[in-house]
């Protein structure tokens, strides 16, 4: 049976756009029944603009399309989530990656990813470095030395993590694990593997 969406008196429901890869909340907008139908038909996020009073396809002019992987509905049916892939990685009309880029003090917070975003966000940064190979970048230096060198570094960090584990040195385990994960992500990036592929493989194992 279809879940009933409870639209408000204006025929709208709030829609949270949540990023499939990073988990970040990209934006909040509204949809009417037709916008949701268009989203389901096309696979791209459609919303209803309250100011323009019309349906809009996100990214139609900017190219910032949102591919919708899944729609989820909350327990009492009066809010939904579009689980999306953001095509060019900018969701906000200001050019920021998501609309929630400030805290209540007005401070910029997007340079402090939340824990669940970190792996995907770090891989983005690594990908950027591999493209531009900036002077003085450790990532660029290792990349120029090739996969054997990257794999060797990953091996060293893995062993250091292992030693810290055997010593039961929790702080050191945390520190070395972070080093290990950075080199692991660098190796994935070098080989053209998205960390999401690994996480999807793990997700498949939930029974």
């Amino acid at each position: 049976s279809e879940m009933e969406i409870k639209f408000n008196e204006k025929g709208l429901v709030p829609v949270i756009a949540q990023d499939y890869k990073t988990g970040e909340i990209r934006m909040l907008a509204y949809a009417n029944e037709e916008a949701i139908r268009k989203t389901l038909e096309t696979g791209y996020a459609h919303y209803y603009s309250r100011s323009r009073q019309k349906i809009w396809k996100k990214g139609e002019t900017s190219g910032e399309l949102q591919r919708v992987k899944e729609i989820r509905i909350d327990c009492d049916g009066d809010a939904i989530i579009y689980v999306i892939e953001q095509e060019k990685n900018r969701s906000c009309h200001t050019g920021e990656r998501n609309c929630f880029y400030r805290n209540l003090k007005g401070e910029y917070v997007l340079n402090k990813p939340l824990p669940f975003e970190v792996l995907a966000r770090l891989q983005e940064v690594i990908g950027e470095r591999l493209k531009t190979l900036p002077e003085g970048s450790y990532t660029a230096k290792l990349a120029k030395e090739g996969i054997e060198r990257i794999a060797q570094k990953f091996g060293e960090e893995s062993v250091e993590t292992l030693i810290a584990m055997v010593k039961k040195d929790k702080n050191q385990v945390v520190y070395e694990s972070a080093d290990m994960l950075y080199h692991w992500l660098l190796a994935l990036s070098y080989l053209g593997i998205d960390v999401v592929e690994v996480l999807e493989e793990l997700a498949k194992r939930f029974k």
Side-chain angles (χ1 to χ4, degrees):
S1 70
E2 285 289 295
M3 285 292 302
E4 264 313 289
I5 296 174
K6 292 199 186 82
F7 295 96
N8 68 15
E9 67 291 343
K10 296 196 172 107
L12 302 176
V13 64
V15 183
I16 295 159
Q18 182 175 24
D19 195 281
Y20 175 72
K21 288 187 172 186
T22 61
E24 73 199 276
I25 292 174
R26 291 282 190 165
M27 53 184 267
L28 170 77
Y30 287 82
N32 61 7
E33 201 169 344
E34 193 191 341
I36 291 167
R37 201 169 53 244
K38 283 199 158 131
T39 298
L40 289 168
E41 279 166 15
T42 63
Y44 285 94
H46 288 69
Y47 301 97
Y48 182 81
S49 165
R50 293 174 301 168
S51 55
R52 298 199 301 276
Q53 303 220 323
K54 67 186 194 62
I55 289 177
W56 56 289
K57 179 183 183 181
K58 171 71 180 168
E60 204 151 30
T61 46
S62 63
E64 291 294 354
L65 297 166
Q66 292 177 342
R67 237 186 315 223
V68 177
K69 311 248 327 162
E70 193 181 336
I71 298 181
R72 294 188 174 188
I73 186 166
D74 91 331
C75 55
D76 50 15
D78 61 3
I80 61 174
I81 296 175
Y82 289 170
V83 178
I84 59 125
E85 288 179 321
Q86 183 69 54
E87 297 225 322
K88 292 186 180 169
N89 220 5
R90 301 265 169 268
S91 293
C92 187
H93 73 283
T94 62
E96 295 294 346
R97 57 181 298 133
N98 71 54
C99 294
F100 298 92
Y101 54 87
R102 294 166 300 190
N103 63 17
L104 289 179
K105 291 187 188 133
E107 297 159 338
Y108 186 81
V109 291
L110 289 190
N111 47 8
K112 296 192 278 252
L114 295 166
F116 60 82
E117 300 174 64
V118 163
L119 289 177
R121 288 281 304 271
L122 179 54
Q123 190 170 40
E124 279 180 27
V125 174
I126 289 171
E128 218 20 69
R129 298 278 192 280
L130 294 183
K131 264 213 285 292
T132 58
L133 296 172
E135 224 22 71
S137 152
Y138 176 72
T139 300
K141 176 178 160 303
L142 277 184
K144 284 177 190 152
E145 293 172 15
I147 191 63
E148 291 83 3
R149 178 76 180 119
I150 295 168
Q152 180 197 355
K153 285 298 297 177
F154 170 69
E156 287 169 13
E157 299 299 346
S158 303
V159 171
E160 285 176 23
T161 305
L162 185 151
I163 291 166
M165 285 170 171
V166 173
K167 287 184 176 160
K168 302 194 179 91
D169 182 340
K170 290 182 188 174
N171 290 341
Q172 208 53 27
V173 170
V174 169
Y175 187 85
E176 298 297 349
S177 295
D179 282 350
M180 178 186 75
L181 283 171
Y182 159 78
H183 289 89
W184 174 71
L185 282 172
L186 176 55
L188 291 189
S189 301
Y190 190 94
L191 298 170
I193 300 167
D194 194 314
V195 65
V196 171
E197 295 174 56
V198 179
L199 298 174
E200 285 171 335
E201 176 55 39
L202 269 180
K204 275 187 210 147
R205 301 180 188 185
F206 275 76
K207 284 287 178 281

